[in-house]
Amino acid sequence: MNTGSDRGTHGAAADDATTEAAAGSTAEAATEAAGAAEETPHVSKAPAFIKRNRSLHLSWQVGVFIVGLAVIGAGIAMLVLPGPGWVAIFAGLAIWATEFAWAHLVLRWTKRKVTEAAQKALDPKVRRRNIILTSVGLVIAGALIGFYLWKYGLVLPWSLKDQ
């Protein structure tokens, strides 16, 4: 089973792009080399004595997978129960990313999307729109609550007459 965690630290594409950029090519090639340097292959974070033995390394990966799965399962449960559900889900994904290349890619994609969303939320136009929509929603909710109280009054459960 190839999980991508036993690859070397440098890929051939990254070496070629770095060599091309060092040879004095255009600024575009230097930008590509910087992008390729960020795309270094994933390497297992297991201790060296575990990586030396294939069956021990596979057992390590199974253990990491089970621990990550448990944390993600707890996070999914916390989406409907009290607790930091999304934080636990991302923590479980980070646990998986220590051993599995696919989880590392998913985590990196998620971080990029969260950063983009945060930048978009900080845009003044978007913030203004969100504040206006929230204000309108609160006014509508207040009007509906006021109408309900005007129409039916406030009857507390402990004030009910014996039936």
Side-chain angles (χ1 to χ4, degrees), residues 27 48 59 86 104 120 134:
S59 299
W86 286 110
H104 184 73
K120 188 175 180 181
T134 302

Side-chain angles (χ1 to χ4, degrees), residues 32-107:
E32 288 178 15
E38 291 178 8
E39 299 293 326
T40 57
H42 179 71
V43 179
S44 174
K45 303 287 190 274
F49 74 92
I50 290 178
K51 287 193 268 187
R52 280 192 294 254
N53 187 342
R54 180 72 180 142
S55 61
L56 192 57
H57 190 232
L58 185 60
S59 299
W60 176 270
Q61 287 182 331
V62 169
V64 167
F65 183 81
I66 290 172
V67 169
L69 187 64
V71 172
I72 287 176
I76 290 171
M78 283 188 273
L79 290 176
V80 294
L81 299 172
W86 286 110
V87 173
I89 291 171
F90 294 136
L93 193 57
I95 290 169
W96 278 349
T98 63
E99 284 301 312
F100 304 108
W102 59 268
H104 184 73
L105 293 174
V106 170
L107 187 63

Side-chain angles (χ1 to χ4, degrees), residues 11-21:
D15 290 341
D16 292 344
T18 306
T19 305
E20 183 179 330

